[in-house]
Amino acid sequence: GADNPGASILRDNKHIDTSLVKILDSHATATYTVILDRLGECIFGVGDMEIHNKISREYLLSLEDDISQSSFVVSDGNISENALDTLLELCGRSGVPLFYEPTCMSKAQRPLLSKHSGSLTYTSPNLNELVSMLETLPDKPTIPDISHIDIDTINALARLSVRLLEEYGMSVILLTMSKDGVLLSRRGSPDTPLPTRSTLASKTTLDRYSSVYYPGNPASNVVSVSGAGDCLTAGFIAGLLQGLHQDHCVAAGMQAARLSCNVSDAVPSILETNKINWNQKIESVIIM
């Protein structure tokens, strides 16, 4: 929007190419206010996301050349179903990996229900969003109790994640579980390079699946967990675009998430590449 929040976003992100950003005079920049408890956990949130509806099929089609030349595309669930369907179509047509961040349970199923679902490469649901995704499977699998995470639950979630990969042709599910860590399920072995544009064409030849559990390393002195998941995703994507091993990508994401937990801002101002140890070793357990 042509307002102070919009101007602030552009002013504070000079390092980002914003040449394709549209400024709409008659609409407000999207905002989200979260209510936290004394431990920094989210109780509920209120948002104004109306402007996202202006990301239409027609607008995305006008950007087809830019999308087709991209090395990677990231979308969250705030755009409309029609817009997401168009984005999947364009990425599939050009062989561009698409990473989907579900945003909430009600939007987690959207790419799976699209006729272009096979163009989805990555997704990063939390536990509740994964459960929502699993409800789309035709065989209606038994879903474990996710209120308590132990090794049996991890094993069950790994098997169910692989079912989603098989059903919808995705390459990677990055399951985030707050203090309990991350479960990465994917096509290929843990040592196979994560899919990028140059390797995406080979995903159909990877008939092996693997799951690796990365136990959590909770932050101390938590101020707010709001934004930690997005920072984890950002750190992970930054690592994979550098061609790092999946262990290092997850480690980078966890470092970024911990930085977010220690401040009130969703994205900490100190979150820069030099704040991340890109070669940090991380505890991992191969599940399958």
Side-chain angles (χ1 to χ4, degrees), residues 113-283:
L113 301 178
S114 167
K115 62 184 177 181
H116 301 290
S117 60
S119 299
L120 180 62
T121 312
Y122 291 84
T123 188
S124 56
N126 61 27
L127 285 165
N128 290 322
E129 290 160 354
L130 181 74
V131 168
S132 179
M133 290 178 161
L134 291 169
E135 291 171 351
T136 67
L137 290 172
D139 56 346
K140 305 300 180 186
T142 300
I143 298 173
D145 178 12
I146 60 171
S147 63
H148 173 70
I149 302 298
D150 56 24
I151 193 61
D152 291 332
T153 310
I154 295 294
N155 275 283
L157 292 172
R159 291 192 297 271
L160 291 168
S161 295
V162 168
R163 279 286 297 112
L164 284 171
L165 296 174
E166 292 173 328
E167 182 70 24
Y168 295 107
M170 288 181 283
S171 294
V172 179
I173 295 177
L174 182 71
L175 175 62
T176 60
M177 300 179 289
S178 188
K179 62 180 175 53
D180 292 306
V182 168
L183 177 67
L184 192 151
S185 302
R186 56 169 300 190
R187 291 176 180 269
S189 74
D191 293 322
T192 304
L194 287 165
T196 60
R197 180 163 187 164
S198 62
T199 62
L200 192 59
S202 64
K203 78 172 186 177
T204 56
T205 65
L206 296 175
D207 56 2
R208 176 190 170 180
Y209 295 90
S210 61
S211 288
V212 179
Y213 172 53
Y214 299 91
N217 181 15
S220 57
N221 304 316
V222 173
V223 176
S224 168
V225 302
S226 179
D230 288 338
C231 287
L232 190 153
T233 297
F236 177 84
I237 292 173
L240 77 88
L241 290 177
Q242 295 179 55
L244 300 184
H245 188 280
Q246 70 173 48
D247 291 356
H248 294 148
C249 294
V250 173
M254 286 185 165
Q255 291 174 71
R258 283 195 295 275
L259 288 173
S260 175
C261 287
N262 290 329
V263 297
S264 58
D265 293 340
V267 179
S269 59
I270 62 169
L271 183 53
E272 298 179 357
T273 55
N274 62 1
K275 295 294 184 180
I276 302 296
N277 178 357
W278 298 101
N279 296 308
Q280 184 180 89
K281 294 184 178 180
I282 186 172
E283 180 185 355

Side-chain angles (χ1 to χ4, degrees), residues 29-34 44-50 78:
T29 300
T31 56
Y32 180 74
T33 301
V34 63
F44 66 89
V46 179
D48 174 10
M49 305 294 172
E50 178 64 27
N78 286 316

Side-chain angles (χ1 to χ4, degrees), residues 41-77:
E41 295 286 343
C42 300
I43 301 175
F44 66 89
V46 179
D48 174 10
M49 305 294 172
E50 178 64 27
I51 197 169
H52 288 105
N53 291 326
K54 293 300 176 180
I55 304 176
S56 63
R57 175 175 175 82
E58 292 71 27
Y59 174 63
L60 290 171
L61 289 174
S62 74
L63 299 176
E64 182 170 5
D65 287 345
D66 298 283
I67 292 171
S68 67
Q69 295 170 29
S70 300
S71 58
F72 205 81
V73 170
V74 181
S75 174
D76 70 11

